[in-house]
Amino acid sequence: MPSLHDLPTPAVLVDLSVLERNVQRMAARAQQHGVRLRPHAKTHKTVAIARLQAGAGAAGLSVAKTSEAEIYADQGFDDLFVAYPVVGQDKGRRLLRLAERVRLAVGTDSVEGARTLAEVFAGASRTLELMLKVDVGYHRVGVEPERAVAVARQIADLPGVTLRGVFTHAGQAYAEETREGVDAVAGHEGQTLARCAEALRAAGLAVAEVSVGSTPTARQAMAVTGVTECRPGNYVFHDASQVALGTCQLEDCALTVVATVVSVPAAGRAVLDAGSKTLSSDQLRPRPGGHGILLGHRSRIAALSEEHGVIAVEPGDSFRVGERVRILPNHACVVANLHDRLWAVRGDVVEDELPVVARGRIE
Ligand SMILES: Cc1ncc(COP(=O)(O)O)c(C=O)c1O
């Protein structure tokens, strides 16, 4: 393995000691609350980290896309949930092949979408397990809780599919400016979904799984009675946004980027070889503020173009050409997807190279 100082930059580092601690902590929390942990593997898109999660007791993996599920199935993961409203007969045919080799569930939030998959499965005399996505306030996808019974009933009536349960993602937590605000979103997430499951059961529908999950809300949402499963993803790495949200401390962040100062063209400006193709353009949450934290410096990365990160140098701070810096990105999940490999380090020792195998798997 190359030494840390010889890695070509920009390079993405994952500190294994921190990663392992994050994996263990979330697994212990889930165990304490008696819920299944189904980590979202879109965060890291690697096999080694998924294996670590499985080894810590994960009940299976969540993925965002059908093609990610195919990659993980190829690698021997046999219990997968595509936590996304999948639509289309083409996807249905791929899911049919997947369902032959793994335990599979797929998200839906409409009768129309579910029907496209149901037709394929019914045509093959097979049954696909569906999870109904419920909107608990993020207002992205998902049926409103009041409509859940009506939609679930129509979906359950379709030949070729059966309802496994309900799921949600309280992404609105990322806009909360205080820890109390995040906790309130988490309580609402768990309670709304558990109530929704009860309403479905009262209407005669079987609901085996009640699945919540985001990294900021996981701890509180999984503690709500009635919740059976939790799907955090980002927690393996954490990032500058999780620190800003109060989800974790700086020392809980496993993923950083090493970059080189390639130019100091004027007083007050230094430029890195890491731009939006390395760090992504994702804003810091809950409030925008630079393009990642420059560890050990007061200055901020004020602007990005594709291959350049422009530092606004604060008085008293300085950078010289050729110097290497470490950056804690705003959003680790997007950073992992931008790179072919992650360098697994323990402190200053490079231990392994982790291929980002599901990188670009977005269909
Ligand atoms: C449906 C769904 N579940 C779970 C997650 C994981 O959330 P987080 O990245 O906050 O851990 C996401 C993230 O986008 C998601 O969209």
Side-chain angles (χ1 to χ4, degrees):
M1 279 294 136
S3 91
L4 190 54
H5 307 288
D6 293 334
L7 288 181
T9 67
V12 183
L13 309 185
V14 173
D15 193 301
L16 289 174
S17 307
V18 181
L19 178 90
E20 286 161 6
R21 194 174 68 213
N22 291 342
V23 167
Q24 290 297 341
R25 273 189 188 154
M26 193 61 86
R29 261 181 221 138
Q31 201 179 20
Q32 180 198 337
H33 292 296
V35 303
R36 279 181 285 278
L37 188 64
R38 186 182 285 280
H40 209 312
K42 57 107 194 188
T43 292
H44 51 78
K45 289 179 175 265
T46 71
V47 173
I49 299 175
R51 292 222 170 101
L52 205 67
Q53 293 171 314
L61 293 178
S62 303
V63 293
K65 296 300 184 76
T66 303
S67 54
E68 281 180 325
E70 289 166 342
I71 289 277
Y72 283 108
D74 289 346
Q75 297 294 329
F77 293 89
D78 60 2
D79 190 337
L80 301 171
F81 169 35
V82 186
Y84 192 89
V86 181
V87 173
Q89 295 211 345
D90 56 327
K91 299 282 166 48
R93 285 189 287 274
R94 289 166 73 163
L95 292 167
L96 182 63
R97 287 194 291 275
L98 261 177
E100 279 161 13
R101 53 191 177 126
V102 301
R103 178 172 184 258
L104 184 69
V106 175
T108 186
D109 75 348
S110 68
V111 183
E112 298 86 334
R115 188 175 290 121
T116 63
L117 308 180
E119 282 168 356
V120 174
F121 276 72
S125 304
R126 297 287 306 268
T127 303
L128 174 66
E129 289 191 62
L130 292 178
M131 296 277 286
L132 179 67
K133 178 108 186 217
V134 178
D135 181 4
V136 296
Y138 189 22
H139 305 323
R140 187 174 63 179
V141 293
V143 295
E144 287 171 5
E146 309 77 58
R147 292 184 54 235
V149 169
V151 176
R153 197 176 268 136
Q154 289 181 72
I155 289 174
D157 282 347
L158 293 172
V161 293
T162 177
L163 204 61
R164 182 191 289 182
V166 287
F167 79 111
T168 194
H169 169 66
Q172 72 270 29
Y174 281 95
E176 289 296 329
E177 306 234 336
T178 63
R179 193 58 227 173
E180 294 69 38
V182 173
D183 289 350
V185 169
H188 177 75
E189 175 187 11
Q191 285 153 19
T192 308
L193 198 67
R195 265 203 307 273
C196 200
E198 279 312 312
L200 262 61
R201 288 182 188 121
L205 295 154
V207 178
E209 205 75 272
V210 181
S211 178
V212 295
S214 80
T215 292
T217 63
R219 186 188 305 209
Q220 287 78 14
M222 70 166 71
V224 173
T225 306
V227 167
T228 62
E229 181 180 89
C230 192
R231 311 179 321 278
N234 181 274
Y235 76 99
V236 289
F237 295 146
H238 291 128
D239 51 30
S241 293
Q242 300 296 352
V243 174
L245 286 159
T247 311
C248 70
Q249 306 294 315
L250 218 47
E251 60 266 26
D252 302 317
C253 294
L255 183 145
T256 52
V257 173
V258 187
T260 301
V261 177
V262 290
S263 176
V264 184
R269 177 156 33 103
V271 182
L272 301 172
D273 62 355
S276 61
K277 285 182 173 168
T278 300
L279 298 169
S280 89
S281 304
D282 276 26
Q283 298 279 6
L284 182 70
R285 290 173 289 178
R287 240 169 297 144
H291 297 279
I293 298 173
L294 270 172
L295 298 172
H297 287 276
R298 299 162 47 206
S299 307
R300 300 213 134 218
I301 304 173
L304 294 181
S305 50
E306 286 176 65
E307 311 293 0
H308 303 75
V310 181
I311 302 173
V313 182
E314 289 285 322
D317 209 358
S318 71
F319 297 86
R320 53 178 178 74
V321 171
E323 175 184 349
R324 288 182 166 212
V325 296
R326 287 275 274 268
I327 304 155
L328 179 64
N330 286 343
H331 191 183
C333 310
V334 200
V335 172
N337 185 54
L338 290 173
H339 297 267
D340 287 337
R341 61 191 170 194
L342 311 176
W343 293 100
V345 300
R346 218 175 276 278
D348 280 348
V349 178
V350 182
E351 287 198 357
D352 207 356
E353 188 183 331
L354 312 180
V356 186
V357 283
R359 173 175 187 213
R361 296 292 172 147
I362 46 149
E363 329 93 63

